[in-house]
Amino acid sequence: MRAARLIKMVLLLQARPAMTAAELAAELEVSERTVTRDAQALSDAGVPVYAERGRAGGYRLVGGYRTRLTGLARDEAEALFLSGLPAALREMGLEDAASAARLKVSAALLPSLRDASSSAARRFHLDAPSWYHEPEPPELLPVIADAVWDDRLLRARYRPGGGREREGTEVARELAPYGLVLKAGVWYLCARAGEDFRVYRIDRFTAVEPADERFDRDVSFDLPGFWEERATGFARSLLRSEVTVRVSGRGARMLAYTGDRAAAATALAEASEPGPDGLRTLTLPVESLDVAYGQLLALGPELEVLAPESLRIRFADAAERLREMYR
């Protein structure tokens, strides 16, 4: 543990002209007293760490000293490619590996390029979760992530969702965990169960146990392509009903923000030409009439429901109640 910290301290000083004891303590997550002891240990080992006292003092390496301890370990190299996803790294337990990888890359760069990482971080940040949603990282995510990185089989207990979900219902599975996907703050596992590839929500696993055996990864498996195909199919499978509506030009533009964007785009592409009143008639796939009521009501007077009659009656009733409320 201390050896890794000493290496990190050298890399920090190699990447920057000088650092105060407080800055080093914050980076290394130790006390300033420990920084002082570590600096002395490095000096005793022949690393030319120089301490400057005073308000503007700090630690620096003398004479352009450079270490060759910059080779990336495998976990560091893999984590480096996820360094733009700090929250995801933290939830998978890879934050330390990514930090060490960034330091090693920074230390290996020319002095004129060492601010590249901080320059990029100041200009780009990816915030994956959706608005108004504070996701709780699944408790079992780090264990599953380790199995994904290690190509290790998982013995798992899983609580299915959808209509099959009942309190206490669980299924046992042996899975070959191929990849993880973070979608709108929710973690999913793409895994092979038997001969089939399936998608599992991480927060529905009730128990996981890594097996001693590893699996042979199918090198032709394309995680982004698999996820896109399954996500598109899942979204389409939800749209089990249809409604016929008439929308204004403004309503047509708003339609994409009330439900499934792809379904709205297809419905608009197949809609009738605008009539003399500027309204277009279209048939829109929806998840259910109850869901459609909540989504389409947001369009207010920019949309008129034509069919089914039961939904039209609900909209007429809502319009009448609004009229009475604002009378």
Side-chain angles (χ1 to χ4, degrees):
M1 186 71 176
R2 190 189 185 200
R5 190 175 71 242
L6 292 174
I7 291 172
K8 186 174 181 179
M9 184 173 179
V10 173
L11 293 173
L12 283 167
L13 293 173
Q14 186 171 311
R16 308 180 194 180
M19 294 183 69
T20 65
E23 290 171 337
L24 282 168
E27 288 280 358
L28 300 172
E29 298 181 347
V30 296
S31 66
E32 293 186 30
R33 185 181 295 272
T34 299
V35 168
T36 301
R37 287 199 297 264
D38 286 352
Q40 183 61 49
L42 287 171
S43 181
D44 293 343
V47 178
V49 177
Y50 177 71
E52 295 179 323
R53 301 189 181 278
R55 294 183 61 186
Y59 293 90
R60 63 183 178 85
L61 294 175
V62 178
Y65 175 87
R66 295 184 63 79
T67 177
R68 294 186 178 275
L69 295 172
T70 54
L72 291 178
R74 182 174 183 84
D75 63 335
E76 294 169 347
E78 291 169 336
L80 182 62
F81 289 97
L82 296 172
S83 58
L85 297 166
L89 285 168
R90 185 168 55 253
E91 292 174 9
M92 287 190 291
L94 295 173
E95 189 173 25
D96 289 343
S99 175
R102 287 192 296 268
L103 276 174
K104 289 181 178 181
V105 170
S106 179
L109 292 173
L110 293 172
S112 61
L113 298 177
R114 285 181 192 162
D115 67 340
S117 61
S118 60
S119 175
R122 286 193 296 267
R123 289 165 172 81
F124 177 76
H125 174 69
L126 178 61
D127 185 10
S130 59
W131 288 105
Y132 314 117
H133 180 61
E134 292 293 335
E136 286 289 334
E139 182 180 347
L140 298 175
L141 176 60
V143 178
I144 296 173
D146 284 345
V148 170
W149 289 116
D150 205 25
D151 291 343
R152 192 173 294 277
L153 290 170
L154 277 177
R155 296 186 179 93
R157 297 197 64 80
Y158 186 76
R159 187 180 68 253
R164 296 174 297 168
E165 187 172 11
R166 298 186 304 274
E167 185 176 354
T169 299
E170 293 181 356
V171 294
R173 292 281 186 269
E174 182 172 271
L175 304 174
Y178 268 67
L180 293 167
V181 175
L182 177 60
K183 170 71 171 178
V186 179
W187 283 96
Y188 297 88
L189 172 68
C190 301
R192 191 181 67 219
E195 299 299 319
D196 299 325
F197 284 94
R198 299 180 182 178
V199 176
Y200 301 86
R201 273 187 62 143
I202 300 292
D203 58 8
R204 288 190 180 140
F205 283 102
T206 58
V208 291
E209 179 185 356
D212 293 333
E213 316 94 89
R214 289 183 170 86
F215 64 92
D216 294 324
R217 179 176 287 267
D218 182 351
V219 296
S220 66
F221 177 78
D222 174 28
L223 179 60
F226 171 78
W227 174 259
E228 182 178 4
E229 178 184 345
R230 288 302 176 94
T232 301
F234 175 73
R236 288 174 179 168
S237 71
L238 294 176
L239 306 178
R240 303 184 182 94
S241 301
E242 288 184 343
V243 298
T244 303
V245 299
R246 188 158 48 208
V247 294
S248 65
R250 185 167 183 266
R253 293 191 295 272
M254 295 170 61
L255 204 57
Y257 302 98
T258 59
D260 186 275
R261 187 181 295 264
T266 301
L268 286 168
E270 298 173 352
S272 66
E273 292 296 321
D277 53 5
L279 302 179
R280 303 171 67 188
T281 301
L282 57 92
T283 300
L284 181 68
V286 294
E287 185 174 341
S288 69
L289 296 186
D290 285 338
V291 171
Y293 175 77
Q295 291 174 340
L296 300 181
L297 197 61
L299 274 67
E302 306 301 331
L303 174 142
E304 178 189 0
V305 174
L306 301 179
E309 184 64 21
S310 60
L311 185 60
R312 180 177 174 86
I313 291 172
R314 289 182 68 180
F315 270 73
D317 178 62
E320 183 61 29
R321 285 188 286 125
L322 282 170
R323 179 175 176 273
E324 290 296 325
M325 184 181 299
Y326 288 99
R327 182 186 293 272

